[in-house]
């Protein structure tokens, strides 16, 4: 077993001083791999070394649960590959611990177990991909990294846009709320709690008509469905 995290730097093209200034700098990808099996770690490293793509991979390996947690506190990575079975818990436990500490991945589970319950649970926990060790290839790892990073970038963009939109909604001087098909309140802007004197959490999952006079209910429902009636 390795006693501490091991770093590897891979380069996919040979250095040529005559054309070096003409080559566009490759994107550097920092991979963190956690597996308590030394042989599996070496196999993964071998796959990464054989990747031929316009990305420059830097691999760090941790061979225990605790070593993995220690390493992520000290360094930053672009993607995390985690074995499903670790020495002190599962890979999902490890990922949950990482998320609790502010690391949001992307996380990829690798395993010898092609079991529905495992990857179903992984999907529920926000795992980006579930890979079988015996099926791993250099190109599969490269594709997984590429698509996981793209998805994470898209999620960041959506999160930022949602935050900006929420800021605009909260600044409006009138009530705005989001309801489901049963008119249960799912979200409100800051103006509604000030009107009703309730906290936002207290309003969530209550029916909007609990806060509206009964004689206005039919008019509001008719107006809502008239505005949202699909055109033919």
């Amino acid at each position: 077993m390795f006693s501490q995290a091991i770093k590897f730097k891979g380069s996919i093209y040979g250095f040529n001083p005559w054309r070096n200034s003409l080559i566009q700098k490759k994107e550097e990808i920092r991979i963190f791999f956690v597996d308590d099996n030394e042989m599996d770690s070496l196999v993964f490293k071998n796959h990464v070394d054989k990747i031929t793509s316009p990305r420059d991979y830097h691999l760090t390996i941790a061979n225990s649960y605790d070593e993995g947690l220690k390493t992520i506190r000290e360094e930053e990575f672009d993607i995390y590959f985690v074995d499903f079975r670790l020495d002190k818990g599962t890979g999902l436990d490890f990922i949950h611990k990482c998320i609790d500490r502010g690391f949001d991945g992307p996380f990829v589970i690798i395993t010898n177990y092609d079991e529905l319950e495992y990857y179903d649970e992984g999907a529920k926990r926000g795992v980006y991909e579930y890979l079988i060790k015996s099926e791993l290839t250099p190109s599969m790892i490269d594709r997984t990294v590429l698509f996981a990073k793209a998805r994470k970038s898209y999620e960041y963009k959506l999160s930022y846009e949602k935050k900006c939109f929420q800021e605009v909604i909260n600044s409006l001087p009138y009530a705005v709320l989001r309801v489901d098909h049963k008119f249960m309140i799912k979200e409100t802007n800051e103006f509604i709690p000030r009107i009703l004197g309730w906290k936002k959490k207290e309003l969530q999952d209550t029916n909007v008509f609990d806060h509206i006079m009964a004689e206005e209910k039919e008019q509001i429902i008719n107006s809502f469905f008239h505005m949202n009636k699909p055109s033919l």
Side-chain angles (χ1 to χ4, degrees):
M1 303 287 287
F2 296 118
S3 60
Q4 61 182 8
I6 302 174
K7 301 179 184 178
F8 302 95
K9 181 176 180 180
S11 180
I12 59 177
Y13 298 114
F15 177 76
N16 187 330
W18 297 103
R19 64 185 182 120
N20 188 53
S21 60
L22 301 177
I23 298 177
Q24 185 177 0
K25 184 178 180 180
K26 297 188 292 290
E27 179 186 13
E28 292 188 357
I29 306 293
R30 297 161 298 178
I31 297 178
F32 187 44
F33 181 82
V34 186
D35 195 324
D36 60 351
N37 186 304
E38 180 178 345
M39 183 59 66
D40 287 346
S41 297
L42 293 176
V43 170
F44 188 84
K45 175 188 177 300
N46 186 53
H47 284 316
V48 173
D49 288 343
K50 292 180 179 178
I51 293 175
T52 56
S53 76
R55 283 168 285 282
D56 188 14
Y57 285 103
H58 298 252
L59 175 63
T60 298
I61 293 176
N63 283 121
S64 72
Y65 189 104
D66 289 339
E67 182 185 346
L69 292 179
K70 178 178 182 295
T71 303
I72 64 170
R73 289 195 299 266
E74 300 171 350
E75 301 181 49
E76 294 183 0
F77 300 97
D78 298 301
I79 188 167
Y80 303 76
F81 287 81
V82 184
D83 184 29
F84 189 86
R85 296 291 185 188
L86 296 173
D87 56 319
K88 290 182 61 176
T90 70
L92 294 179
D93 296 332
F94 180 88
I95 290 171
H96 184 70
K97 185 85 71 174
C98 291
I99 293 174
D100 282 347
R101 297 184 179 187
F103 302 95
D104 59 354
F107 297 100
V108 176
I109 285 287
I110 60 168
T111 181
N112 289 314
Y113 309 97
D114 188 7
E115 297 289 343
L116 173 61
E117 61 179 293
Y118 293 155
Y119 53 78
D120 190 51
E121 182 64 24
K124 293 177 182 177
R125 300 271 194 106
V127 173
Y128 277 51
E129 187 58 274
Y130 184 99
L131 303 177
I132 307 302
K133 290 182 179 180
S134 61
E135 300 174 357
L136 284 177
T137 65
S139 61
M140 180 184 291
I141 294 173
D142 188 44
R143 287 195 306 272
T144 299
V145 171
L146 180 63
F147 283 96
K149 281 177 57 59
R151 174 179 161 186
K152 176 59 70 175
S153 177
Y154 185 66
E155 289 176 351
Y156 282 145
K157 181 180 178 181
L158 285 179
S159 177
Y160 175 75
E161 290 178 350
K162 181 180 179 180
K163 182 178 179 181
C164 292
F165 178 75
Q166 193 64 46
E167 290 291 331
V168 172
I169 294 299
N170 284 331
S171 67
L172 295 176
Y174 48 81
V176 178
L177 52 83
R178 180 172 65 85
V179 299
D180 64 13
H181 65 288
K182 295 182 179 180
F183 291 93
M184 302 298 290
I185 297 175
K186 296 301 178 182
E187 193 173 0
T188 75
N189 68 345
E190 299 293 343
F191 195 75
I192 290 182
R194 292 202 296 268
I195 295 175
L196 299 177
W198 288 31
K199 295 180 180 180
K200 293 179 71 173
K201 289 184 178 180
E202 295 172 334
L203 289 169
Q204 191 169 1
D205 290 325
T206 63
N207 193 286
V208 67
F209 294 109
D210 292 341
H211 313 287
I212 296 175
M213 297 179 63
E215 58 268 21
E216 298 178 357
K217 178 177 180 178
E218 183 176 354
Q219 178 184 351
I220 292 174
I221 292 178
N222 290 336
S223 298
F224 176 84
F225 285 108
H226 176 73
M227 288 186 298
N228 291 278
K229 183 178 179 180
S231 57
L232 299 179

